[in-house]
Amino acid sequence: MKFIKTSIFFLILTLSNTCFSNVSLPAVFSDNMVLQRNADVKIWGWAQPGEVVKINTTWSEEEVSTKAGRNGTWELILQTPDVRDPQEIGIKGYNTILLKNVLLGEVWLVSGQSNMEWSAAAGIDNAVEAIAEAKNPNLRFFSVAHRTAGAPQQDLDGEWVSSTSQTMEHFSAVAYFFGKKLTEELGVPVGLINSSWGGTPAEVWMPAETIATDPILSKAAALLPEEEWGPKEPGIIYNAMIAPLIPFELAGVLWYQGESNTANAKYYESIFSSLIKSWRQKWDKELPFYYAQIAPYNYGEGFSGVEIRDAQRRVLELSKTGMVMTSDIGNIKDIHPRNKKDVGLRFANLALTEVYEIEKPAYAPVPDRIEQKNKELWVYFKNSEGLKIDKENKDSQFEIAGENGIFHPAKVKLKNDVVRLGSKGVKNPKYVRFSWGNTSTSNLFNKAGLPASSFLVKIE
């Protein structure tokens, strides 16, 4: 009897889909998805103008409904509790859609270029072991297909899948290790939406109007070279790979990008800050935005690589941002360092500390202020507890310059977590820089075991 009832249900569902098939959803709403818990989650889609759309869920007895507008779109708000078991969502208009195996948990968008996109299949440290241990029904992935568009799109290609050896192998390795750590620490499901594309500058990831209306950003975008592995036109990836996700409810964003902006590195602080602000404006929410500082690499002559790193440090002035360090786990001969696990774990420690209030060793030393005392410059750092110089790499990476901008090596003394600098070649110091080179690898660490950021600052 149960088999007959089930067969009749699916027959009716099939016939209703065949006759009308008017209610439909974006790809990001599907079986196996993760919705943000403890939130007012917006669900949206399409239907016939005037069609009544009703939503029921297994976690609530309340039914919510609305009518599709004259342009055939609709949206509804679902209040999500903190429950662990798989749920179902029914969406009914002239036809019925049933979303199965839905989890409520923490949802993060991860984006950027190749170091975020990089998978275990592409090659990471201890790949075989990581792949073998990847089965986790509480960790879900949604991979956005590479697409470009001249205007913001309403939908994209992708599907939700559970973490298995087969799915993890081709998903962002950084994101996987981040999500795995969160499921273990929080004991809740985690959903990861990966929208990244190797070899892309930041300009393609923000709305085109953000750049078109800003003379500085427009000038910077004009400096980008043509590349065979990806587009450079402002907004062209944002339109196809980010805009269709808005306003899917998120806990926050992880970002790993910057290598492809070395051609306009001097503008990167403005570029990256504008990207963060534009996404927050579009989501109408001050999303936590955490990013990886790019690792040292031989970009050739000049300082374009370290200028990107320093620009990323300065972007920390924006609220609810955080930066994870990679200089000690990079590879100056390979722009794609294979240690993705530690990057993911550092992202997780930052999110656990900032968003979930579980204190972890999450913060690296960054310069706070510089004071001139007698013939010395005292450099004070934030997150400086236990500051020490790497015993295997003791040479000073500090330099001092006067008004003429000519830098001289500085002698270093470290006392009470304060760096004291001196240089006989500079009588009236105006600038201090640290680990200032494309391939320079920081040798200054704090108690958390995290390296200090490269920097160049003017003495006020």
Side-chain angles (χ1 to χ4, degrees):
M1 180 64 70
K2 183 177 180 182
F3 173 77
I4 294 173
K5 287 182 179 180
T6 302
S7 299
I8 292 172
F9 172 77
F10 281 107
L11 177 62
I12 294 171
L13 183 60
T14 301
L15 289 173
S16 65
N17 283 340
T18 303
C19 296
F20 300 98
S21 296
N22 290 317
V23 173
S24 58
L25 298 167
V28 75
F29 296 114
S30 69
D31 293 345
N32 307 311
M33 70 177 175
V34 181
L35 293 180
Q36 182 64 35
R37 62 177 176 150
N38 295 329
D40 291 335
V41 172
K42 185 174 290 186
I43 307 286
W44 68 93
W46 304 275
Q48 287 277 52
E51 182 177 355
V52 175
V53 179
K54 301 178 181 179
I55 297 184
N56 291 276
T57 70
T58 51
W59 67 77
S60 174
E61 296 181 357
E62 181 183 0
E63 178 181 83
V64 294
S65 64
T66 189
K67 282 187 178 182
R70 62 179 183 175
N71 60 355
T73 61
W74 58 268
E75 61 180 43
L76 283 165
I77 301 293
L78 297 181
Q79 293 182 334
T80 56
D82 184 6
V83 295
R84 304 290 189 272
D85 296 331
Q87 306 292 318
E88 293 185 351
I89 302 174
I91 302 100
K92 184 177 181 180
Y94 296 142
N95 61 309
T96 300
I97 299 171
L98 181 64
L99 303 181
K100 296 174 288 185
N101 195 26
V102 175
L103 294 179
L104 307 181
E106 295 299 309
V107 184
W108 287 78
L109 171 62
V110 306
S111 187
Q113 59 179 110
S114 55
N115 274 309
M116 181 61 85
E117 190 176 29
W118 203 262
S119 66
I124 63 171
D125 293 344
N126 302 313
V128 174
E129 178 184 357
I131 293 169
E133 298 175 348
K135 186 176 181 180
N136 186 344
N138 280 331
L139 181 57
R140 306 284 175 85
F141 308 142
F142 185 93
S143 296
V144 178
H146 288 184
R147 295 289 186 273
T148 60
Q153 301 297 292
Q154 293 184 312
D155 204 358
L156 40 66
D157 291 331
E159 64 175 336
W160 283 98
V161 296
S162 295
S163 176
T164 65
S165 295
Q166 292 73 34
T167 59
M168 173 270 182
E169 184 177 8
H170 301 285
F171 193 71
S172 163
V174 168
Y176 165 74
F177 289 116
F178 166 82
K180 181 175 183 290
K181 178 70 170 178
L182 256 58
T183 61
E184 293 169 351
E185 290 280 343
L186 301 176
V188 302
V190 172
L192 301 171
I193 301 173
N194 177 25
S195 183
S196 53
W197 186 331
T200 52
E203 286 84 348
V204 303
W205 290 100
M206 70 177 84
E209 66 267 20
T210 301
I211 296 174
T213 56
D214 189 312
I216 294 176
L217 297 182
S218 296
K219 183 178 179 180
L223 297 174
L224 293 171
E226 296 281 352
E227 301 289 3
E228 62 181 77
W229 49 75
K232 71 164 191 172
E233 293 78 12
I236 200 166
I237 292 180
Y238 166 85
N239 291 336
M241 295 177 63
I242 297 297
L245 297 170
I246 301 169
F248 196 87
E249 189 69 22
L250 303 172
V253 177
L254 306 185
W255 177 262
Y256 196 159
Q257 189 276 338
E259 298 91 342
S260 288
N261 276 99
T262 50
N264 57 8
K266 295 184 185 303
Y267 298 93
Y268 193 73
E269 181 182 0
S270 295
I271 295 166
F272 188 30
S273 295
S274 297
L275 182 146
I276 295 172
K277 292 174 183 177
S278 70
W279 284 22
R280 288 174 169 175
Q281 189 272 326
K282 294 295 184 180
W283 255 276
D284 193 24
K285 182 180 180 181
E286 194 176 38
L287 291 166
F289 205 108
Y290 305 136
Y291 53 92
Q293 187 184 73
I294 63 171
Y297 175 70
N298 187 4
Y299 291 95
E301 295 182 3
F303 298 103
S304 59
V306 71
E307 285 173 348
I308 292 287
R309 300 203 300 271
D310 195 36
Q312 291 171 322
R313 175 189 65 84
R314 296 195 301 272
V315 170
L316 287 171
E317 294 179 7
L318 291 181
S319 62
K320 290 190 177 181
T321 58
M323 183 175 72
V324 302
M325 297 298 298
T326 65
S327 64
D328 60 323
I329 51 177
N331 185 337
I332 62 173
K333 297 180 180 179
D334 190 345
I335 202 169
H336 302 121
R338 298 308 199 258
N339 184 350
K340 300 304 184 191
K341 182 176 182 178
D342 282 334
V343 181
L345 294 180
R346 289 177 184 184
F347 268 127
N349 283 341
L350 193 54
L352 287 167
T353 301
E354 289 282 320
V355 177
Y356 304 109
E357 299 180 348
I358 301 174
E359 190 171 340
K360 296 291 180 179
Y363 304 111
V366 290
D368 185 19
R369 69 184 191 279
I370 299 174
E371 296 179 358
Q372 190 159 1
K373 297 193 176 184
N374 298 322
K375 296 181 179 180
E376 291 183 328
L377 292 176
W378 287 25
V379 184
Y380 296 85
F381 287 81
K382 295 178 181 177
N383 317 313
S384 63
E385 185 178 359
L387 210 60
K388 62 182 180 181
I389 302 249
D390 182 9
K391 294 180 180 179
E392 303 299 321
N393 184 16
K394 294 182 178 180
D395 292 344
S396 172
Q397 295 187 19
F398 286 91
E399 299 172 282
I400 300 173
E403 199 68 56
N404 60 8
I406 299 175
F407 282 88
H408 297 261
K411 291 184 178 181
V412 179
K413 290 189 294 184
L414 187 55
K415 187 175 182 180
N416 298 327
D417 296 331
V418 177
V419 173
R420 302 180 182 184
L421 305 177
S423 176
K424 294 181 179 179
V426 183
K427 293 183 179 180
N428 187 20
K430 294 294 182 182
Y431 300 92
V432 175
R433 68 187 188 187
F434 169 72
S435 200
W436 196 257
N438 290 341
T439 61
S440 296
T441 302
S442 175
N443 65 347
L444 187 64
F445 291 78
N446 65 2
K447 183 181 178 180
L450 297 173
S453 171
S454 305
F455 67 84
L456 189 160
V457 297
K458 186 176 182 178
I459 302 169
E460 301 296 338

